[in-house]
């Protein structure tokens, strides 16, 4: 089988990921921060180490400000719902995932917040001057995705930071973190939200966020933290303020494995390999008469997410044919209806090809061969 759906979650996972989970489940297994016994302390140490390493990885200043969540969606919900209040204005773009748009729409309906959507071009280009022009007195935040999960375009965070002054910059880095450099300081990010199961190579069910010092978010969940057990009030110190209930410690252990793999392989090499695969796919598919490729794939800043359609075929038909040959891609709207309105593929969507570090050139050759057959009809 050939797996080309790494934008949804990376597969296979590196051996390191499997090893760390295996060790945790077999030999540690305690509930962290709850009990005083050795296994509970070992579990807490696993989390501490992952928090430290991940904070360093994004050049955060304080590991207590790194919060583990269930996924990228939960991180974005906490950032958006925890920050915005009545009468706030927020700026976003037409390439956002529903994990951004749905919490924003909820707040619009519930609290009357005002949303300005900056329309990107069909190629995914964002007019940064338009962001500047959209800023108002009550603008609280800009929410933007770093890499598009539909057309792979990345946005220049540093340039964007410069035009928004002290407005809070919330970045959805689900598609970039791990493979593309992200630096909280250099990129001027205030809240970074991401999944840990894509290019960080952790297990599903784990996400994280980094909240810059000075930013207060209203927590969305309350309960047991293992700390301050004498109090019926939820703790207001980090990370406990935003992390409650038994954490996904096996997932956090898997993240340590993912980070070890990235360190061993080199982030640059991972990025380079992904770019090679993207370039190969785009170059070859451009030679097909009846394949439409979306976005702009010149340059080497895109993530390896390629959306296409075959003329006169529905994406679902193409996905069905590929699946029959054990080639696994994603078809449809990829949880981003606005992005498809932007590129002109709403409501049918596209066929999305997303290779990963472990994709081989021969997998791509086989994929192209099958695509040729499907395109011929
Ligand atoms: C750009 C983007 N944002 C948010 C998400 C949601 O992440 P998760 O599936 O970890 O909740 C995804 C997942 O595909 C994504 O690609």
């Amino acid at each position: 089988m050939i797996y080309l759906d790494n934008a949804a979650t990376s597969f296979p996972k590196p051996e390191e990921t499997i090893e760390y989970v295996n060790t945790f489940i077999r030999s540690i297994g305690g509930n962290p921060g709850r009990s005083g016994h050795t296994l509970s302390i070992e579990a807490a140490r696993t989390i501490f180490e992952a928090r430290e390493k991940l904070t360093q990885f994004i050049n955060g200043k304080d590991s207590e400000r790194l919060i583990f969540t269930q996924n990228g969606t939960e991180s974005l919900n906490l950032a958006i719902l925890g920050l915005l209040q009545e009468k706030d204005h927020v700026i976003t773009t037409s390439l956002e995932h529903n994990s951004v748009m749905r919490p924003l729409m909820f707040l619009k309906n519930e609290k009357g917040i005002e949303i300005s959507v900056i329309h990107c071009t069909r190629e995914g280009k964002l007019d940064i001057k338009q962001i500047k022009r959209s800023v108002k007195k009550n603008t609280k935040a800009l929410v933007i995705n770093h890499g598009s999960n539909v057309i792979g375009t990345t946005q220049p965070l540093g340039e964007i930071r410069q035009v928004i002054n002290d407005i809070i910059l919330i970045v959805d880095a689900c598609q970039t973190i791990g493979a593309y450099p992200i630096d909280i300081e250099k990129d001027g990010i205030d809240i970074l939200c991401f999944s840990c199961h894509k290019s960080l190579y952790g297990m599903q069910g784990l996400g994280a966020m980094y909240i810059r010092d000075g930013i207060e978010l209203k927590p969305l969940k309350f309960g047991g933290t293992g700390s301050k057990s004498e109090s019926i009030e939820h703790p207001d110190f980090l990370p406990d303020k935003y992390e409650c209930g038994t954490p996904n410690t096996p997932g956090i252990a898997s993240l340590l494995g993912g980070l070890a793999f990235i360190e061993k392989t080199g982030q640059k090499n991972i990025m380079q390999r992904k770019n090679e695969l993207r370039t190969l796919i785009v170059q070859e598919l451009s030679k097909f008469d009846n394949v439409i490729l979306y976005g702009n794939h010149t340059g080497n800043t895109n993530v390896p997410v390629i959306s296409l359609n075959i003329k006169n075929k529905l994406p679902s038909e193409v996905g069905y044919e590929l699946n029959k040959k054990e080639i696994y891609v994603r078809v449809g709207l990829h949880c981003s209806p606005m992005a498809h309105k932007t590129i002109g593929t709403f409501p049918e969507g596209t066929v999305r090809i997303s290779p990963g570090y472990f994709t081989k050139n021969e997998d791509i050759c086989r994929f192209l061969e099958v695509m040729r057959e499907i395109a011929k009809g």
Side-chain angles (χ1 to χ4, degrees):
M1 69 92 187
I2 298 173
Y3 182 82
L4 295 173
D5 194 16
N6 288 274
T9 197
S10 56
F11 182 76
K13 301 293 184 201
E15 276 308 307
E16 286 83 348
T17 301
I18 298 162
E19 279 296 306
Y20 272 73
V21 182
N22 195 1
T23 307
F24 181 82
I25 293 185
R26 280 184 194 283
S27 323
I28 304 179
N31 197 330
R34 274 31 181 195
S35 320
H37 59 73
T38 305
L39 294 185
S40 172
I41 293 168
E42 278 293 309
R45 198 168 284 149
T46 303
I47 297 184
F48 177 80
E49 196 185 331
R51 207 187 295 284
E52 288 288 311
K53 288 211 162 124
L54 191 52
T55 305
Q56 269 174 27
F57 189 74
I58 54 174
N59 194 24
K61 285 223 159 86
D62 176 1
S63 64
E64 287 181 354
R65 308 200 70 83
L66 189 292
I67 311 298
F68 284 114
T69 62
Q70 211 185 345
N71 42 45
T73 303
E74 192 185 350
S75 302
L76 285 159
N77 269 265
L78 176 52
I80 292 168
L81 302 177
L83 181 76
L84 298 170
Q85 287 164 13
E86 269 106 357
K87 303 211 173 69
D88 281 342
H89 170 238
V90 61
I91 305 173
T92 191
T93 84
S94 68
L95 284 184
E96 300 310 312
H97 192 276
N98 270 346
S99 300
V100 167
M101 291 316 297
R102 288 182 176 173
L104 285 180
M105 290 309 292
F106 172 80
L107 285 181
K108 183 178 170 174
N109 298 332
E110 287 285 308
K111 293 197 172 178
I113 66 152
E114 212 188 321
I115 309 170
S116 296
V117 177
I118 310 289
H119 288 273
C120 300
T121 65
R122 285 172 85 100
E123 284 73 40
K125 193 153 171 44
L126 180 67
D127 181 359
I128 294 175
K129 283 193 208 117
Q130 210 186 325
I131 298 181
K132 194 174 177 181
R133 283 196 292 272
S134 304
V135 173
K136 305 204 274 192
K137 264 201 183 133
N138 60 337
T139 308
K140 182 80 156 274
L142 167 68
V143 194
I144 188 162
N145 85 38
H146 188 206
S148 163
N149 62 310
V150 176
I151 48 173
T153 332
T154 53
Q155 303 301 345
L157 298 178
E159 278 176 51
I160 291 168
R161 170 81 264 170
Q162 292 194 346
V163 300
I164 59 168
N165 301 323
D166 56 357
I167 287 165
I168 293 175
L169 177 59
I170 304 175
V171 175
D172 170 359
C174 288
Q175 289 298 335
T176 48
I177 190 149
Y180 295 78
I182 293 180
D183 185 319
I184 291 279
E185 291 304 315
K186 219 161 83 195
D187 298 326
I189 300 167
D190 293 309
I191 309 178
L192 181 70
C193 301
F194 50 97
S195 325
C196 297
H197 59 92
K198 300 182 198 262
S199 294
L200 284 173
Y201 302 106
M203 273 162 51
Q204 293 175 33
L206 189 68
M209 65 197 292
Y210 187 86
I211 310 164
R212 186 187 284 281
D213 191 18
I215 294 175
E216 281 299 317
L217 302 177
K218 201 163 46 88
L220 306 182
K221 297 195 239 177
F222 305 88
T225 56
S227 55
K228 294 260 175 207
S229 276
E230 72 284 4
S231 172
I232 56 167
E233 297 283 344
H234 197 71
D236 66 354
F237 52 83
L238 297 177
D240 301 31
K241 183 173 177 179
Y242 305 118
E243 285 181 2
C244 53
T246 299
N248 178 2
T249 323
I252 295 173
S254 78
L255 171 69
L256 272 173
L259 289 170
F261 166 76
I262 295 171
E263 196 179 0
K264 181 186 88 181
T265 313
Q267 194 187 37
K268 269 200 179 139
N269 296 328
I270 295 174
M271 186 164 84
Q272 193 181 331
R273 177 65 188 144
K274 288 192 173 203
N275 268 330
E276 274 166 21
L277 289 162
R278 182 179 59 80
T279 311
L280 174 66
I281 296 172
V282 169
Q283 257 173 11
E284 291 304 313
L285 285 176
S286 315
K287 296 178 190 161
F288 287 49
D289 288 339
N290 43 359
V291 165
I292 310 159
L293 284 170
Y294 299 95
N296 176 0
H297 291 279
T298 54
N300 58 1
T301 55
N302 276 27
V303 291
V305 173
I306 300 145
S307 258
L308 63 91
N309 269 319
I310 294 183
K311 284 182 197 151
N312 304 321
K313 273 193 192 289
L314 286 172
S316 53
E317 290 169 335
V318 179
Y320 177 74
E321 294 297 326
L322 288 167
N323 194 56
K324 276 205 304 201
K325 304 282 179 177
E326 294 185 73
I327 299 176
Y328 305 134
V329 301
R330 184 166 170 187
V331 298
L333 296 172
H334 323 301
C335 300
S336 307
M338 274 199 333
H340 286 275
K341 286 183 182 164
T342 306
I343 66 172
T345 51
F346 188 84
E348 286 82 14
T350 56
V351 179
R352 184 181 76 177
I353 318 297
S354 52
Y357 180 77
F358 297 108
T359 307
K360 299 189 198 80
N361 282 17
E362 64 228 48
D363 296 339
I364 302 302
C365 291
R366 172 73 186 138
F367 159 72
L368 291 166
E369 192 183 300
V370 174
M371 279 297 283
R372 209 163 284 124
E373 284 166 26
I374 300 173
K376 261 196 234 153

